[in-house]
Each structure stands twice: as structure tokens, then as C-alpha cells.
Amino acid sequence: ETTNQLGQRILIANKIKKTDDIIGTSYESKDKQTGKYSLDVKIPYININNSTVRQYNNEIEQIFKQKALDIMASSETKDVVYTVDYVAYINANNVLSIAIRSILKEGSNAQRTIIQTYNYDFHNEKEISLEDILNRKGLNENTVQNVVIERIKQEQAKVEELEKLG
């Protein structure tokens, strides 16, 4: 049993580990080797026994945990900074949403940021797309995309103004 954003209780009958929360951390490391790497990773785990969620968990492990293990194991690693964190919540429509953010900086290469999201509908026990979520909220994809683009332009204009100020 867990609660959504409105504090409503949701019964989760198919948890893998009955006593654990719906979202947990499967792997965590704050390892550092001077001149080689600095890791600060928290890899999430979704505690639901379902084929869709198993696929999510496998993908999360393969993408995020494996990168951390590769960094630590490589003899060629030099000046790598790798962070992974996540946020998860259950909204009022009983949809579990989890967003994972990783930042990778390798030597003098440009920093890369990856944001991976997963949305799971408890009621139907299946993945739900971003488009489905927007439709439930009465929004369409183009309108939301235009708002995002406009906000990015506004932020870019602020950055340019700050650059002009020195």
C-alpha cells in the first residue's frame, strides 16, 4: 500500500519485496579516485512484479548502473565526473512517474545530460505514454511543445543578457 499526490491510498498487491517501498535504490556509489573519476550515483529500482516494470528495471540497470561500473573498471578513465539521481511520485490518476537524470563529464569533452522517464499506470498495470498523460489533462502535444520552446527561448535570452553584462 502506498499513497498518491492527493494522499489517497493505493493497494499494490504485486510488489516483488512486500516490505519495501514502491521505489527504492538498487545501487548507490559515491566513489572517487583522484585524477580518474568521481561518482555520485543513485540508481532507482521499481518494486513491482510486472513484465513492463521488469523491462524498466533492466533498462535502468543497463544504461545507468553499467556506465558507473564501466567507469570504475576502465584503466583508461581520466577526469570523469558521473552523477545519477532520480525523482518519483504517484499522481492523482494513480500513475507512477519516475525521472532519472544523469550527467557525464569526460575530460575536456562537453558535458552530457540524459533524462530518462518512465510512466506506469497502476490501474491498468501497463506503461502509459506522455501523450496519454497529456490527453488525460486535456492538453495536446503541440501546445505543450510550444510552451517548452517559448520557455527555453526566454531562458536563453536571460543567459545572453547576463553574458553582455560580463
Side-chain angles (χ1 to χ4, degrees):
E1 188 172 297
T2 191
T3 57
N4 65 17
Q5 281 183 319
L6 298 178
Q8 300 165 329
R9 292 166 29 148
I10 304 168
L11 180 61
I12 308 297
N14 58 346
K15 288 170 63 176
I16 297 168
K17 298 177 183 175
K18 302 295 182 201
T19 58
D20 289 357
D21 291 333
I22 296 298
I23 299 293
T25 300
S26 68
Y27 179 78
E28 188 170 3
S29 177
K30 284 191 173 192
D31 195 8
K32 185 174 188 172
Q33 285 196 6
T34 305
K36 288 193 74 174
Y37 62 80
S38 175
L39 299 179
D40 186 359
V41 298
K42 288 180 78 169
I43 310 297
Y45 170 77
I46 306 168
N47 185 25
I48 298 173
N49 190 11
N50 171 286
S51 62
T52 299
V53 175
R54 277 192 299 276
Q55 182 180 344
Y56 289 171
N57 284 329
N58 287 337
E59 186 175 298
I60 291 166
E61 291 275 322
Q62 290 173 5
I63 294 172
F64 301 103
K65 180 180 178 182
Q66 192 58 52
K67 182 63 177 176
L69 296 175
D70 290 348
I71 290 169
M72 290 186 295
S74 175
S75 61
E76 297 177 20
T77 299
K78 188 172 181 181
D79 296 327
V80 174
V81 177
Y82 184 57
T83 63
V84 180
D85 59 359
Y86 65 92
V87 62
Y89 62 92
I90 300 171
N91 70 25
N93 292 324
N94 297 331
V95 172
L96 167 68
S97 294
I98 183 167
I100 305 167
R101 178 183 64 169
S102 73
I103 299 171
L104 177 64
K105 176 72 172 116
E106 296 177 294
S108 61
N109 294 337
Q111 177 175 300
R112 294 185 309 166
T113 300
I114 297 172
I115 298 175
Q116 182 71 38
T117 60
Y118 300 91
N119 298 293
Y120 179 78
D121 183 338
F122 284 113
H123 180 71
N124 296 309
E125 297 186 344
K126 66 176 191 167
E127 179 175 18
I128 185 168
S129 70
L130 181 57
E131 184 178 354
D132 292 336
I133 292 172
L134 292 175
N135 289 337
R136 286 183 181 185
K137 298 279 187 185
L139 302 169
N140 82 33
E141 193 173 347
N142 289 335
T143 302
V144 172
Q145 183 65 36
N146 289 338
V147 169
V148 169
I149 290 170
E150 185 57 36
R151 295 263 171 90
I152 290 171
K153 286 179 182 176
Q154 290 171 358
E155 292 301 315
Q156 183 61 34
K158 288 179 187 177
V159 167
E160 290 171 5
E161 283 299 314
L162 288 173
E163 286 177 348
K164 287 178 184 176
L165 294 174

